[in-house]
Amino acid sequence: MNRHPHTAVRCTPFLIERMREYAPPSRVFLSVDGEPVGPAEGRGEDPVPESDPETARRSLTGMRRYLMRQVDAHLILGGRRGGFQGTLPGLLEEALLALEADLPVLRRSPSRARAQRP
């Protein structure tokens, strides 16, 4: 896979729509550490919310690590600035993991996003 140098460019609504069109959602079940598992592995009939903060933190980081192995670039659109459950705010952790994986990091211009709101 050919990797690009780390870069930040503006993302347009057109690009976002193309990404949605060419990257349909899929169902993947992950372990706490972000490794794919069978849908019934370690689960009962009903989902149970995770109450242990350390397990929740590890699960979020594991999910993000899994996602970084599935993509060729990382697009930053927006997210929480406080009240997060992971080690870091999701956007920051995802950007750092993408850079560690030598992925280009793309961001949507905040001023452009504000200008398009009704």
Side-chain angles (χ1 to χ4, degrees):
M1 183 181 303
N2 185 14
R3 300 288 185 191
H4 302 282
H6 304 187
T7 183
V9 296
R10 288 190 301 182
C11 183
T12 65
F14 174 80
L15 178 58
I16 294 169
E17 287 304 314
R18 294 301 70 77
M19 290 173 64
R20 288 183 183 142
E21 180 180 332
Y22 292 105
S26 62
R27 278 191 98 152
V28 176
F29 298 89
L30 302 173
S31 69
V32 171
D33 296 315
E35 296 301 321
V37 296
E41 191 173 320
R43 293 174 172 81
E45 285 189 33
D46 295 322
V48 178
E50 184 53 61
S51 59
D52 176 40
E54 177 60 20
T55 302
R57 182 197 65 73
R58 282 183 49 216
S59 296
L60 289 168
T61 298
M63 173 200 64
R64 292 176 180 127
R65 285 188 189 283
Y66 172 81
L67 289 173
M68 292 308 128
R69 293 190 304 263
Q70 307 305 309
V71 299
D72 295 319
H74 186 68
L75 176 63
I76 298 174
L77 295 175
R80 290 184 179 189
R81 293 183 180 181
F84 54 91
Q85 297 177 356
T87 305
L88 299 167
L91 288 177
L92 180 57
E93 184 174 34
E94 289 174 12
L96 290 172
L97 290 170
L99 292 172
E100 284 178 8
D102 199 29
L103 295 171
V105 176
L106 311 168
R107 70 173 177 85
R108 173 127 192 229
S109 169
S111 60
R112 199 156 175 71
R114 280 194 299 269
Q116 293 177 0
R117 290 184 187 155

